Amino acid sequence: MSRRAKRPARNSNLNRGAETSLAMASEAMAVLRDYLGPAIARARELSTRYLTPIATVISPLGFVLLGTAVLLWILGASFGWQEALLGAFMATVLLLASVGFVLGRNDFSVDLDLHRTRVAVGDRAVGAMQVANKASRSSAPVMMELPVGHGAAQFRIPRLEPQQTHEDLFTIPTQRRQVLDVGPVRSVRQDPFAILRRQVKWTESYELFIHPRTTALDGSSAGFIRDLEGMPTADLSNSDVSFHALREYQSGDDRRHIHWKSTARTGELMVRQFEETRRSHLALSLSTNLDEYAEAHAEEDFELAISVAASIGQQAVAEQRKLAILTQQGPVRTGSGRQMMDGLTRIEAATGQRENLVDVVRHTADTVPGASVIFFLTGTRTSAKSLREAWMHVPAGVRAIAIRCETGIEPSRSNIGELTVLSLGKLEELGVMLRKAVA
């Protein structure tokens, strides 16, 4: 057999050997997992129960100091370095001294009270924290922390006599729309060098909704269709609120609709016939794609669009009209005014989204087939071509109004076919522009 013929056979044997070794290794690992699985789970449980609390007490500086002390003890003992032993001794003394600052127990009753959990941008969000000493002896001064969003406020609680109460008032800034996690209140004990830090939670946390700004609208300024009158259509109905004509009685007609005066005059049973009406159903298509807003201040323009949506939505809820709000992130709950405002507060905008206003309008038209008015809420970087493309998805007979938001621009009104386009620079101009839209 030639050397070339032997080489493929050798490679084949090597491949089979490698596959066999991998199979054996996989079986060995499976056996180890079966035997070591309970032990690993037990070790994780013990770690969570004992090591995790210790890890939360030791600060990053404390871990560095602990590691340095261990290293210096090893170096000093191995090589007889007196300097290393002295440094290890000092680090150990510092660690042991810091333990005394975090020991101790308080018997407090802490009450966190937010005056309102829902405020508008610019309103005052006020709260109070009461700390009562429930122990039978005086309590040492302690530091309380109140997390607010990504920050934390600190309150120094003085020495309290038994059953004594201390109260602190605080104000939370509300410059921007957001949902803030307030709390839980926690007492903090730490040494002067912040090596150890022990926290004890005393209350639950709250959600503070900072709703977008709104402006008041009346029914005529918003251009809404009255519920009682609805939108008349060419379809006739045997029962509705818009009277159309009289016709002869047919088998199966509701006798309550018999018009007795006409029956007595003609000698034949006559019944009322009505036009079908459509209850006004408002739909808002809000674009959260920052690429469609002015590049210089896209976030401010988006906040203006959010405020416009909230103002129209509040008016719709006040007049008990059906309402739907959709964004790229999905629908906003509109079962009540509070749900709507909470949903709008949670909305976040982003750049680089694949979906734009056209996609939101198309999804709105599919999701809300009974809409009578659809508002497009977007920025000034949305082109006329995109607005026209979005309008093409609106069903026939449905009123469409596009509102392009950019902070500081002069208000204007234009038309793209049957689509009314409003350009808005201030929230206070919304009512005037909507009156122009329906004029």
Side-chain angles (χ1 to χ4, degrees):
M1 183 180 295
S2 64
R3 182 177 299 176
R4 292 182 179 179
K6 293 180 179 179
R7 188 170 299 169
R10 183 182 302 172
N11 292 337
S12 178
N13 293 333
L14 290 175
N15 291 334
R16 283 196 298 270
E19 292 175 357
T20 302
S21 300
L22 289 175
M24 294 177 62
S26 299
E27 292 178 1
M29 292 297 296
V31 172
L32 285 175
R33 282 196 298 268
D34 292 339
Y35 280 101
L36 297 180
I40 294 175
R42 179 62 177 170
R44 288 178 178 175
E45 181 182 354
L46 294 176
S47 174
T48 303
R49 181 180 299 179
Y50 298 107
L51 296 182
T52 300
I54 296 176
T56 57
V57 172
I58 303 177
S59 66
L61 177 60
F63 279 109
V64 172
L65 188 61
L66 179 61
T68 302
V70 172
L71 178 61
L72 291 178
W73 278 119
I74 294 174
L75 293 176
S78 301
F79 300 99
W81 293 349
Q82 297 299 322
E83 295 83 356
L85 293 174
L86 179 61
F89 176 77
M90 296 298 297
T92 303
V93 170
L94 191 58
L95 285 170
L96 294 177
S98 62
V99 172
F101 288 92
V102 299
L103 294 179
R105 181 178 178 274
N106 295 113
D107 188 7
F108 287 143
S109 174
V110 182
D111 182 26
L112 176 63
D113 178 32
L114 292 181
H115 179 60
R116 290 185 297 169
T117 57
R118 287 166 174 82
V119 297
V121 171
D123 293 346
R124 294 185 62 189
V126 181
M129 182 181 66
Q130 289 185 344
V131 180
N133 181 18
K134 297 299 182 180
S136 58
R137 50 188 174 83
S138 300
S139 65
V142 67
M143 185 69 68
M144 290 283 186
E145 281 189 352
L146 175 62
V148 180
H150 298 293
Q154 292 186 340
F155 303 89
R156 183 168 182 82
I157 308 301
R159 179 184 297 275
L160 298 178
E161 300 298 327
Q163 309 306 317
Q164 185 180 357
T165 301
H166 176 80
E167 182 178 14
D168 277 308
L169 301 179
F170 57 88
T171 302
I172 299 175
T174 58
Q175 282 85 9
R176 57 185 296 268
R177 174 187 61 88
Q178 59 183 322
V179 180
L180 286 176
D181 291 324
V182 181
V185 177
R186 59 200 183 199
S187 59
V188 179
R189 289 174 174 266
Q190 67 177 22
D191 60 278
F193 300 100
I195 298 173
L196 302 181
R197 177 184 174 88
R198 180 184 169 209
Q199 301 177 357
V200 178
K201 295 180 181 180
W202 295 98
T203 66
E204 300 296 329
S205 60
Y206 295 86
E207 280 189 331
L208 174 63
F209 289 85
I210 303 178
H211 290 162
R213 292 194 309 118
T214 58
T215 186
L217 302 174
D218 55 34
S220 60
S221 70
F224 297 147
I225 305 163
R226 298 240 176 237
D227 287 335
L228 185 60
E229 298 174 351
M231 288 186 66
T233 68
D235 301 325
L236 299 181
S237 173
N238 291 328
S239 61
D240 216 316
V241 294
S242 182
F243 175 74
H244 175 64
L246 293 172
R247 62 170 176 81
E248 293 183 3
Y249 176 84
Q250 297 177 1
S251 178
D253 287 341
D254 192 341
R255 294 185 179 183
R256 292 177 301 176
H257 298 147
I258 295 177
H259 194 266
W260 295 108
K261 290 184 179 180
S262 300
T263 299
R265 187 172 60 252
T266 61
E268 296 181 359
L269 287 176
M270 304 294 292
V271 295
R272 298 181 183 89
Q273 195 172 32
F274 304 87
E275 286 181 333
E276 284 189 356
T277 58
R278 179 167 57 187
R279 179 180 175 86
S280 58
H281 190 165
L282 272 66
L284 280 68
S285 299
L286 173 64
S287 176
T288 60
N289 191 344
L290 289 181
D291 295 332
E292 296 182 322
Y293 295 84
E295 187 175 2
H297 35 72
E299 293 186 358
E300 295 180 14
D301 297 346
F302 176 70
E303 292 301 321
L304 177 58
I306 285 280
S307 295
V308 170
S311 300
I312 297 175
Q314 271 193 339
Q315 184 63 34
V317 172
E319 296 188 358
Q320 298 182 351
R321 303 180 186 276
K322 298 179 69 176
L323 175 67
I325 303 176
L326 286 90
T327 70
Q328 284 92 332
Q329 303 169 13
V332 176
R333 296 181 62 186
T334 57
S336 64
R338 171 178 289 188
Q339 286 183 351
M340 179 200 67
M341 295 298 288
D342 288 352
L344 290 175
T345 304
R346 292 185 184 277
I347 291 178
E348 296 182 359
T351 59
Q353 297 186 34
R354 292 185 300 176
E355 294 186 346
N356 54 21
L357 177 69
V358 178
D359 300 307
V360 180
V361 173
R362 181 175 63 250
H363 186 54
T364 302
D366 295 338
T367 306
V368 194
S372 54
V373 181
I374 296 182
F375 287 91
F376 307 170
L377 303 179
T378 184
T380 53
R381 291 176 69 184
T382 301
S383 63
K385 179 181 178 182
S386 297
L387 290 176
R388 181 185 295 274
E389 184 179 352
W391 174 69
M392 294 297 292
H393 294 286
V394 177
V398 177
R399 183 75 181 271
I401 300 176
I403 302 179
R404 303 164 73 237
C405 300
E406 182 177 352
T407 306
I409 64 172
E410 292 296 324
S412 62
R413 178 186 183 277
S414 60
N415 291 300
I416 301 177
E418 297 182 6
L419 174 66
T420 302
V421 181
L422 306 178
S423 296
L424 194 67
K426 295 180 181 179
L427 179 61
E428 294 74 16
E429 300 166 345
L430 178 60
V432 177
M433 296 306 297
L434 287 175
R435 282 195 293 270
K436 291 182 179 180
V438 298

